[in-house]
Amino acid sequence: MRKTARHASLAAAGLLALSSLTACANDAAGSAAGSGGGGKGETVKIMVGGLDKVIYMPAMLTQRLGYFQDEGLNVQLMSEPAGVQAETALVAGQVQGAVGFYDHTLDLQVKGKSVESVVQFSRAPGEVEVVSDKAAGDLTSPKDFKGRKLGVTGLGSSTDFLTKYLAVKNGVDVSEFTPVAVGAGPTFIAALQKGSIDGGMTTDPTVATILDKKAGKILLDMRTPEGSQQALGGPYPSSSLYMQTDWVNGHKDTVQKLVNAFVKTLKWMSTHSADEIAAKMPADYSQGDKALYTQSVKSTLPMFTDDGVMPQNGPETVEKVLKAFNPNIKNANVDLSKTYTTEFVKAVK
């Protein structure tokens, strides 16, 4: 599932089209700089793999709560439809941080890039494998992935990683099904309804909308630690803020301020209801249905940590998952200690 050079060029070629297609789901992308720009303080640019995705909610919520500003930072949040594109922007030096899945740090290490998670938002993937109503009769578990077209946000994305793992774990080779990059939100739902994909992996609020439209059913739910344990065999740290190690080492004061703000948000989330959290988010995130959006927040809340600390045994679970299908990681010695740091979360007061 790893992003090959070919996949990278395909992703780059399709980036504008995919961004355009997902404009409805990512209204925040168009006003990304406006979601943080213009304030006083040190400017930090962070690319998010889908600002309106509930799994990445701490990014925008921290902005809305004013915690970046409290730390003297002017954080500019930008959005791409898939985490793999956030990773690309980070490695290219276009941004100082990326909010995306922790597993990219392992994937990048074996490619010679030193990147580390500095604050861990989650202990479960927050992902859901859905199946279209039309395919639901024959597609009842990952054992039935063979011959199927399965939606992922992007090739080389974490949804791509996890889909390949679930296939291999259930006896289906990665060559026996077709991953299809369909983004999230309206583009994912349209692909499901039109039959362009038989099923796929996505997050809230897309999941809530699919169920509401009766466009599909849940095949496998990884929005809770229990769901992660059942599907992946342990905690699966996913959403995080990760940064290039050299930048972290050269800007420790700034990184500490970012981590202070994010941990404050995670603590705030742990003491407030889904209704209260949803009310703080931009109005357009609810796509005109506040109750449905609130439900999507409620369904995903169990995945989040309340302290930003890497879950115990989490990195080992991620390595096990990636080694199952990724030949580069399978044959490499990954130094997990270099893929994350707890230096900053432990210093939060």
Side-chain angles (χ1 to χ4, degrees), residues 63 69 83 98 100-101 111 122 124 150 158 160 167 188 194 216-217 224 226 238 241 244 262-263 274 281 283 293 319:
Q63 190 79 274
Q69 191 174 355
F101 270 38
K111 294 174 182 174
S122 58
L150 300 173
S158 296
D160 193 13
F188 186 102
K194 292 175 183 176
K217 297 179 173 66
T224 65
E226 295 78 16
S238 55
L241 171 66
Q244 297 208 55
F262 277 124
V263 171
M281 301 301 285
Y293 181 71
E319 183 182 29

Side-chain angles (χ1 to χ4, degrees), residues 15-80:
L15 185 58
L16 289 176
L18 190 53
S19 294
S20 171
L21 284 170
T22 55
C24 293
N26 273 315
D27 288 338
S31 58
S35 67
K40 294 180 180 179
E42 183 179 0
T43 297
V44 180
K45 294 180 181 179
I46 297 176
M47 185 66 80
V48 184
L51 260 174
D52 66 331
K53 294 177 184 176
V54 179
I55 58 169
Y56 299 142
M57 184 169 60
M60 180 56 75
L61 185 57
T62 304
Q63 190 79 274
R64 303 281 286 189
L65 291 170
Y67 292 160
F68 291 136
Q69 191 174 355
D70 290 348
E71 292 289 335
L73 297 174
N74 173 32
V75 173
Q76 297 181 359
L77 297 174
M78 291 167 277
S79 186
E80 289 291 2

Side-chain angles (χ1 to χ4, degrees), residues 181-201:
V182 291
T187 52
F188 186 102
I189 296 167
L192 198 65
Q193 290 176 320
K194 292 175 183 176
S196 304
I197 56 175
D198 300 302
M201 192 172 290

Side-chain angles (χ1 to χ4, degrees), residues 1 127 151-154 157-164 201-202:
M1 138 124 63
E127 301 282 354
V152 296
T153 50
S157 67
S158 296
T159 51
D160 193 13
F161 288 172
L162 288 170
T163 300
K164 284 186 165 66
M201 192 172 290
T202 190

Side-chain angles (χ1 to χ4, degrees), residues 53-130:
K53 294 177 184 176
V54 179
I55 58 169
Y56 299 142
M57 184 169 60
M60 180 56 75
L61 185 57
T62 304
Q63 190 79 274
R64 303 281 286 189
L65 291 170
Y67 292 160
F68 291 136
Q69 191 174 355
D70 290 348
E71 292 289 335
L73 297 174
N74 173 32
V75 173
Q76 297 181 359
L77 297 174
M78 291 167 277
S79 186
E80 289 291 2
V84 65
Q85 289 151 4
E87 169 199 300
T88 301
L90 177 70
V91 172
Q94 297 168 1
V95 295
Q96 287 76 53
V99 169
F101 270 38
Y102 160 72
D103 54 20
H104 289 293
T105 67
L106 281 74
D107 191 45
L108 285 167
Q109 186 182 112
V110 300
K111 294 174 182 174
K113 306 291 184 183
S114 185
V115 173
E116 61 188 18
S117 165
V118 297
V119 56
Q120 196 61 47
F121 301 161
S122 58
R123 50 196 176 161
E127 301 282 354
V128 177
E129 185 72 26
V130 297

